[in-house]
Amino acid sequence: MDRTSRPRSRRLPVLVAAAAATALIATGCSSSSGGKEAEESGENIAAGKASTPRMTVALVTHQAPGDTFWDIVRKGAEAAAAKDNIKLIYSAKPEAAEQANLVQNAIDQKVDGIAVTLAKPDAMKDVVSKAEKAGIPVVALNSGVDNWKDMGILSYFGQDEGIAGEALGNRLNQSGAKNAVCVVQEQGHVGLEARCAGVKKTFKGKTENLYVNGTDMPSVKSTITAKLKQDTSIDQVVTLGAPFAMTAVQSVSEAGSEAKVATFDLNKELTGAIEKGDIEFAVDQQPYLQGYLAIDTLWLYKNNGNYSGGGEAPVLTGPAFVDKSNVEAIAKFAAKGTR
Amino acid sequence: MPMTQQAAPAVSAPPASGPKKETDGRTSERPMWLRLLARPEVGVFLGAVAVFVFFLIAAPPVREAGSMATILYQSSTIGLMALPVALLMIGGEFDLSAGVAVLTSALTASMVSYQLTMNVWVGVVVALIVSLAIGAFNGWLLIKTGLPSFLITLGTFLILQGVNLAVTKLVTGNVATNDISDMDGFEQAKSVFASTFTIGGVGVKITVFYWLIFAAIATWLLLRTKFGNWTFAVGGNKFSARAVGVPVTFTKIALFMGVGFGAWFVGMHQLFSFNTVQSGEGVGQELIYIAAAVIGGCLLTGGYGSAIGPVFGAFMFGMVQQGIVYANWNPDWFMAFLGVMLLGATLVNLWVRNATTRR
């Protein structure tokens, strides 16, 4: 307070820096390769628009902020909503109790349908039955494959994580891997553990879990590197998310290891790595499809009484393998962030 | 920055070269090794050595030079942030937004260069301005309101976390930034922020060198410049510091901007080593940085600590984190092991300090 004149003089360097940045831009520092200009896609998928009366649907997930996977789910749901003349309300909270509150919130708003993920089924049980009592149809997606039927939910869209893990394990048997490490980016996550357990079940070689801190990429990288050095017989790294697969590739080269990298889930960087051969293959559960089908089914149910799976069998959206043989066809969709 | 360089000869000499005390017989001088042990960084040094020796015995792969490079890399990414965080803590404040601020910087650089199709250096410069501005904002608000730094930086932490996600989504349409690895200037920037040196056949990450260089600069700043004295003074008691003419406002804002600079540096490293950034990362890292500084001998109450202590604190973190993997212990216990090792190390640190400062 006693030095009111000082801060003013200190603004100078900031101004100079800002001016310098502007000058840089003005003098043509533009990149001749890459960047947005190189990648303007524009054409998004859009079918016609339904002439049915406008309805409101809530999609409530357990997304953690900033996860690329859920971004794709949401885009699928939005595409279906746009086509079906639906007003989509999206909300998400990773904590089970708060997610249940969000569902309650949707019931209070008297929506025409609810799509929900069941990462922690027990916490969601009460609120789902409340919705059913209120006459709101509920579909489940992505997680809760073992619980949705008991809860009286209309349809389930997703991948059985155990089955997906088993499929990946079988695939590794074909490629002749002997010693695999399964990289878990979030300790105590049921779905992730189920994937690694599935791999362990069918894979004939040795499998071991490695826990990394998913919110700190440099630490993920050095932890995988450390593991590869500790056990040089590891010839296969399995990651449970696309960004971690990209990091694992760096770890493998840093550790001087010969290990191959395979992963669950897909994003646009990953398709490039599969094309280059850095990553062997990805098991895709098609999150776009999960979001799309869940919303579309609620529309069909309201307007024509149909529902997928008939309330008996889950509708599986994966596991779909993406490898060198089919990556070319998929890459262009991944680039738009929809596959 | 320029304000600190113009410092005339340091007013008070560092403790090591202080004038010879006149003994009047009432207090006997403690032996040299005890005085050495009483320095803030010695406890953590011994703790780090203990952890190092422990894993050297328990985990054979640690003995290889390549493994050491990995451990040092892990330590350096923590340590680069622990340094400014420690200086800030000596200055009596701490910063909860330090973890997500790293991501803010990386996201800014990536999005500016991608969306405007600019040379990536433009993004790097803009990110530096943004990071320093966030630090200045933290410091300015602290001074203006007089609220505790816990509240102010908890606020910025939440704001940045939300802004990181929302702006990224708004600008890119996705929750992660686009790949900028094929853009102009990327290779240059990568060689500055994320390259690897081969020393004796072992690849050592450039962050390790920056970490040590910055530690040396921070030590010099703290012990040899007027700014260092100011830092200790404002951390001890800002009212008496102000009374004797220490520019409290300037010092605190500069310290917060130092954290901003660190966040920018680590953010650039992350961006150029991983090409894309996910907007949800970084949450929780601030506690790791603060823990490394505290283990490194900085007091949570301020006014005491060193810049070299956090170097060992960060090393201890990296060592334990990687050592558990090298030792191939049951991974279910990973976090528990980490906690126990760190508590143990902190206790050793505390015990050494108590034992040596007692008469």
Side-chain angles (χ1 to χ4, degrees):
Chain A
M1 297 345 83
D2 47 338
R3 290 164 189 274
T4 40
S5 65
R6 277 178 174 272
R8 203 152 297 145
S9 65
R10 242 171 278 121
R11 269 181 217 150
L12 194 64
V14 179
L15 285 176
V16 170
T22 321
L24 273 177
I25 293 166
T27 50
C29 259
S30 51
S31 177
S32 58
S33 60
K36 194 180 192 184
E37 280 174 15
E39 212 179 286
E40 285 287 24
S41 51
E43 5 92 48
N44 277 316
I45 11 170
K49 194 169 178 180
S51 57
T52 48
R54 188 145 176 95
M55 61 187 274
T56 308
V57 168
L59 171 59
V60 186
T61 73
H62 63 278
Q63 167 187 21
D67 189 328
T68 49
F69 179 89
W70 291 102
D71 213 26
I72 306 176
V73 173
R74 194 173 166 184
K75 278 183 183 162
E78 276 163 0
K83 186 199 70 170
D84 295 339
N85 193 21
I86 287 174
K87 182 186 168 202
L88 183 74
I89 305 170
Y90 180 83
S91 55
K93 273 280 186 287
E95 298 83 12
E98 293 189 43
Q99 197 199 349
N101 276 340
L102 291 174
V103 175
Q104 180 61 51
N105 189 305
I107 298 170
D108 298 341
Q109 290 182 57
K110 300 198 170 54
V111 296
D112 300 300
I114 296 174
V116 68
T117 62
L118 303 173
K120 314 248 165 72
D122 290 335
M124 304 300 288
K125 212 168 248 168
D126 282 351
V127 76
V128 165
S129 73
K130 261 193 210 165
E132 282 156 357
K133 268 191 209 113
I136 301 172
V138 182
V139 296
L141 65 151
N142 179 265
S143 42
V145 69
D146 298 325
N147 306 79
W148 67 280
K149 224 195 293 182
D150 300 337
M151 289 161 76
I153 283 172
L154 219 52
S155 299
Y156 173 85
F157 305 93
Q159 158 178 271
D160 183 313
E161 301 294 8
I163 291 176
E166 287 170 28
L168 190 138
N170 277 325
R171 176 95 182 210
L172 294 185
N173 289 335
Q174 293 166 23
S175 70
K178 296 274 181 303
N179 188 358
V181 60
C182 196
V183 182
V184 186
Q185 72 267 22
E186 193 186 330
Q187 200 163 16
H189 186 301
V190 181
L192 299 182
E193 299 280 348
R195 287 179 177 181
C196 288
V199 174
K200 198 166 202 162
K201 198 165 159 193
T202 52
F203 180 50
K204 293 205 180 74
K206 208 176 117 214
T207 320
E208 197 180 346
N209 289 8
L210 175 70
Y211 295 92
V212 296
N213 175 9
T215 59
D216 180 17
M217 232 9 139
S219 148
V220 171
K221 179 160 132 189
S222 38
T223 304
I224 300 173
T225 308
K227 184 67 198 176
L228 291 171
K229 279 188 186 147
Q230 182 263 322
D231 187 349
T232 46
S233 67
I234 290 171
D235 55 4
Q236 182 74 51
V237 179
V238 178
T239 57
L240 307 182
F244 306 103
M246 301 301 292
T247 302
V249 170
Q250 295 190 8
S251 298
V252 166
S253 79
E254 237 162 60
S257 158
E258 298 284 295
K260 291 175 180 162
V261 180
T263 186
F264 288 87
D265 298 344
L266 198 65
N267 71 11
K268 57 183 167 185
E269 275 75 41
L270 200 68
T271 52
I274 293 174
E275 273 170 343
K276 269 197 280 176
D278 287 345
I279 286 170
E280 228 183 336
F281 62 86
V283 180
D284 187 16
Q285 59 169 311
Q286 307 198 70
Y288 189 87
L289 195 56
Q290 292 176 1
Y292 188 91
L293 290 180
I295 303 303
D296 212 24
T297 281
L298 287 166
W299 175 77
L300 269 172
Y301 183 73
K302 178 162 173 126
N303 291 294
N304 204 36
N306 301 120
Y307 47 106
S308 310
E312 284 299 319
V315 180
L316 296 185
T317 58
F321 284 94
V322 178
D323 59 16
K324 232 173 182 166
S325 67
N326 63 356
V327 67
E328 214 176 314
I330 288 163
K332 58 174 186 280
F333 304 124
K336 284 192 293 182
T338 57
R339 177 77 201 256
Chain B
M1 275 298 146
M3 302 236 21
T4 60
Q5 258 84 358
Q6 69 187 26
V11 179
S12 81
S17 58
K20 203 175 184 313
K21 277 199 196 98
E22 289 187 12
T23 48
D24 56 5
R26 278 180 299 180
T27 56
S28 59
E29 187 141 322
R30 288 175 302 137
M32 171 79 148
W33 66 274
L34 265 181
R35 272 184 296 146
L36 193 69
L37 275 176
R39 294 185 58 83
E41 58 272 16
V42 172
V44 66
F45 173 73
L46 293 180
V49 169
V51 168
F52 179 63
V53 170
F54 175 79
F55 279 111
L56 220 47
I57 297 163
V62 171
R63 292 167 213 161
E64 285 169 36
S67 313
M68 212 52 232
T70 307
I71 291 167
L72 284 176
Y73 168 59
Q74 166 85 70
S75 312
S76 68
T77 58
I78 297 170
L80 275 168
M81 272 307 272
L83 276 174
V85 166
L87 290 189
L88 180 67
M89 207 178 277
I90 295 169
E93 309 292 341
F94 63 94
D95 190 348
L96 290 176
S97 67
V100 289
V102 171
L103 263 286
T104 306
S105 202
L107 290 168
T108 308
S110 171
M111 283 191 289
V112 165
S113 35
Y114 183 87
Q115 296 299 326
L116 305 175
T117 320
M118 286 286 166
N119 189 306
V120 295
W121 282 105
V122 177
V124 170
V125 171
V126 174
L128 175 62
I129 295 167
V130 168
S131 287
L132 291 177
I134 292 168
F137 174 78
N138 273 335
W140 172 80
L141 203 61
L142 181 99
I143 297 290
K144 282 287 163 201
T145 60
L147 288 169
S149 51
F150 179 89
L151 273 176
I152 302 272
T153 61
L154 182 64
T156 23
F157 163 63
L158 296 173
I159 293 170
L160 289 181
Q161 197 185 343
V163 166
N164 279 358
L165 183 60
V167 172
T168 310
K169 179 97 200 221
L170 210 62
V171 172
T172 70
N174 299 301
V175 290
T177 62
N178 301 77
D179 192 342
I180 59 162
S181 61
D182 56 351
M183 297 182 66
D184 287 357
F186 184 88
E187 288 307 318
Q188 269 178 358
K190 191 184 173 85
S191 62
V192 172
F193 292 107
S195 56
T196 308
F197 286 94
T198 309
I199 297 173
V202 177
V204 181
K205 280 274 176 324
I206 196 165
T207 49
V208 175
F209 300 105
Y210 282 124
W211 177 37
L212 299 176
I213 291 166
F214 285 162
I217 294 173
T219 303
W220 171 79
L221 206 62
L222 212 49
L223 297 181
R224 297 276 164 181
T225 66
K226 205 189 265 179
F227 185 77
N229 288 341
W230 291 347
T231 304
F232 279 109
V234 296
N237 185 333
K238 77 172 175 194
F239 298 107
S240 43
R242 182 167 277 147
V244 296
V246 172
V248 175
T249 307
F250 168 76
T251 308
K252 294 223 168 180
I253 292 179
L255 287 171
F256 272 107
M257 287 175 80
V259 177
F261 179 81
W264 169 73
F265 200 86
V266 176
M268 291 309 103
H269 169 68
Q270 292 206 9
L271 176 61
F272 292 109
S273 48
F274 302 107
N275 309 346
T276 58
V277 195
Q278 286 190 86
S279 54
E281 282 179 39
V283 177
Q285 285 305 106
E286 63 283 344
L287 294 179
I288 306 265
Y289 304 142
I290 292 171
V294 171
I295 292 169
C298 298
L299 290 187
L300 276 167
T301 47
Y304 181 83
S306 71
I308 202 76
V311 171
F312 295 119
F315 173 75
M316 204 140 85
F317 246 100
M319 185 72 237
V320 173
Q321 230 166 6
Q322 302 309 317
I324 288 169
V325 180
Y326 283 125
N328 202 23
W329 289 344
N330 183 351
D332 295 347
W333 290 93
F334 190 92
M335 285 299 166
F337 278 137
L338 196 64
V340 168
M341 296 292 295
L342 288 174
L343 269 184
T346 319
L347 286 175
V348 168
N349 190 357
L350 187 73
W351 175 78
V352 169
R353 195 190 302 156
N354 284 344
T356 50
T357 47
R358 203 184 297 134
R359 296 271 157 125

